[in-house]
Amino acid sequence: MNSNFDQYISNLNSNKDIYPNELFEFASNSERYELNHPQSLHDSWVTSITIAENRNKIRPFEPSLSIVLNLLGQQHDRDIVLNYFNVKSYEILGSENPFNYGDTFHGDVLTHEISIVDGLFQHVLELRSGSTFKVILSEFSCLEQVYT
């Protein structure tokens, strides 16, 4: 690891009580950032992004926004499903992977970082192609489907 990463983890730990438990566990788990770990987002590929306006049939004018980001793990042995709930803002900038667009449009995940912005939580992913995905949310979960 490097000093920037150590500072990032230190910042997460100093704000541990502010983060929801599942988001903190995900963000502070160094295996999620390692170059060669099956649970790492590094080198994983985007397989789908689903944006949903969730409406209560009784109160349809009070929707909440959720996003599901599905990644094929770096070792191609699992799906890593990132669920963002009560989304307040998102940005997706997609660009063709100039190195191997026939293999994957966006390229693989280079980095990702979770931070606090205006009392909410932000997750930013940067991909090999220069594509970025940024979401500001209040609730989060991560699920993994390992292929056995």
Side-chain angles (χ1 to χ4, degrees), residues 44-57:
S44 62
W45 292 340
V46 173
T47 56
S48 67
I49 300 171
T50 304
I51 301 167
E53 287 198 23
N54 307 294
R55 296 187 184 274
N56 177 324
K57 292 177 181 158

Side-chain angles (χ1 to χ4, degrees), residues 93-99 106 110 125-132:
L93 173 62
S95 52
E96 191 173 83
N97 180 0
F99 304 106
H106 296 101
L110 291 177
L125 292 93
E126 296 180 3
L127 294 107
R128 171 83 51 210
S129 67
S131 297
T132 57

Side-chain angles (χ1 to χ4, degrees), residues 78-107:
R78 69 193 63 219
D79 283 329
I80 301 171
V81 182
L82 305 178
N83 295 288
Y84 306 99
F85 303 105
N86 294 320
V87 171
K88 304 303 179 193
S89 173
Y90 68 91
E91 295 177 23
I92 301 171
L93 173 62
S95 52
E96 191 173 83
N97 180 0
F99 304 106
N100 193 357
Y101 67 89
D103 190 20
T104 173
F105 180 89
H106 296 101

Side-chain angles (χ1 to χ4, degrees), residues 26-41:
F26 175 84
S28 64
N29 181 349
S30 64
E31 294 171 346
R32 296 286 183 192
Y33 306 89
E34 290 182 13
L35 298 181
N36 294 304
H37 194 281
Q39 290 185 312
S40 179
L41 270 57

Side-chain angles (χ1 to χ4, degrees), residues 16-31:
K16 178 180 182 176
D17 294 338
I18 298 172
Y19 286 97
N21 288 339
E22 190 164 358
L23 183 58
F24 178 78
E25 293 297 322
F26 175 84
S28 64
N29 181 349
S30 64
E31 294 171 346

